[in-house]
Amino acid sequence: WKEAIKKRIPMYIYNNNYSRRPKFDLANDNYKMNETANLFLIPKETYGTEPKLLRLKIQLYPETIEQMLIFRYWLERLSHCFIENIKIEQGLINPEMIDLFFDGSQTFKLHAKYFHLYRIFYYPEEYQFMYDYVAIYGSKGIYYDDDSDWKMRGAKIKEEERYYRQIEEREHVFCKVVEYEFFGIDNPALHVMMYILFPIGSKKVMNVESKRIF
């Protein structure tokens, strides 16, 4: 953990060049030294009362072991909850830090009915986070929106170690291939297969490819 502090490994990954809500990001554009983010948790309405907004404030670069212990504590607490929707829109918890906090354990999962991925820039960590750390229970419970015509929902259908030829490559490579199948929300005729590729024995995403099925 001390090495993570020394190397300034970020707690979360964030791109302030884009937001679906530009006004929300105005402060980040004007104040480049703003190195905190908020993880918002919105409970459902209970007995006619409005839900209280819960906020977990996260430091971009941890400065003390205590900060890391507090963040790990709340992540573990969240892993024992069932979450209706997880939305990855403006940033995400760094999978490298989750791996560090839980010693690479495959048992840590966030449990959700639906997972929403709003993708504009390609971040392999988004897909690593979804694959490794989120258990999705809803039917076709992954919502995917790349701010174009591809607004889809789908699910993981299988994973296996096999040879795969990437779109712009001539040679096949042996890797772990995780397959997802998506269908259009506004356009029912849209049918897309997504392939997340991992080197054998590694958690790091090697590539992500999407292929439209006609």
Side-chain angles (χ1 to χ4, degrees):
W1 291 26
K2 291 181 179 179
E3 192 68 16
I5 294 174
K6 183 179 179 180
K7 290 182 177 179
R8 288 174 61 83
I9 298 176
M11 293 270 230
Y12 61 90
I13 297 169
Y14 176 75
N15 189 308
N16 67 349
N17 293 322
Y18 168 79
S19 173
R20 295 165 64 88
R21 303 185 182 95
K23 292 182 180 179
F24 184 83
D25 277 347
L26 188 59
N28 287 285
D29 292 334
N30 291 337
Y31 303 100
K32 299 300 183 182
M33 297 306 293
N34 186 359
E35 293 187 345
T36 60
N38 295 298
L39 175 63
F40 290 103
L41 308 168
I42 307 175
K44 284 187 174 181
E45 181 178 308
T46 306
Y47 303 115
T49 61
E50 291 188 5
K52 293 182 179 180
L53 182 66
L54 305 178
R55 182 184 67 174
L56 178 59
K57 190 173 182 179
I58 308 169
Q59 190 76 19
L60 178 58
Y61 300 108
E63 298 175 351
T64 65
I65 297 294
E66 182 182 9
Q67 286 180 346
M68 299 172 77
L69 285 170
I70 291 172
F71 190 34
R72 186 198 184 283
Y73 168 81
W74 282 108
L75 281 179
E76 186 170 19
R77 290 288 300 272
L78 287 173
S79 72
H80 296 292
C81 300
F82 185 80
I83 304 169
E84 184 81 12
N85 294 282
I86 293 178
K87 296 185 178 182
I88 301 297
E89 183 173 345
Q90 293 176 309
L92 70 150
I93 301 167
N94 187 354
E96 185 177 358
M97 292 302 288
I98 298 177
D99 199 48
L100 176 64
F101 288 156
F102 297 95
D103 300 319
S105 172
Q106 292 289 337
T107 59
F108 173 81
K109 295 280 186 183
L110 297 175
H111 301 271
K113 187 173 183 180
Y114 301 114
F115 181 84
H116 301 253
L117 178 59
Y118 300 98
R119 178 184 176 268
I120 298 300
F121 298 99
Y122 171 66
Y123 284 111
E125 293 87 356
E126 294 175 326
Y127 301 95
Q128 181 186 350
F129 180 83
M130 176 178 70
Y131 172 73
D132 273 331
Y133 300 118
V134 183
I136 303 165
Y137 297 92
S139 175
K140 295 181 183 176
I142 303 172
Y143 286 79
Y144 179 92
D145 183 353
D146 67 355
D147 211 31
S148 67
D149 294 332
W150 282 23
K151 293 178 175 59
M152 310 178 293
R153 60 180 297 185
K156 184 178 76 172
I157 56 173
K158 69 175 180 178
E159 60 180 271
E160 60 184 352
E161 295 181 358
R162 63 178 174 88
Y163 283 98
Y164 181 92
R165 186 172 69 85
Q166 300 179 61
I167 293 174
E168 297 183 357
E169 300 292 336
R170 292 185 177 182
E171 301 294 329
H172 288 74
V173 61
F174 191 74
C175 58
K176 181 166 74 173
V177 182
V178 185
E179 298 184 23
Y180 294 80
E181 186 174 33
F182 289 91
F183 296 91
I185 295 174
D186 301 323
N187 176 14
L190 179 63
H191 182 196
V192 173
M193 295 297 298
M194 179 183 292
Y195 304 90
I196 304 179
L197 311 178
F198 296 86
I200 300 299
S202 174
K203 288 186 174 183
K204 299 287 187 181
V205 172
M206 180 171 68
N207 197 11
V208 179
E209 293 192 339
S210 298
K211 299 178 182 179
R212 186 166 183 175
I213 308 300
F214 293 95

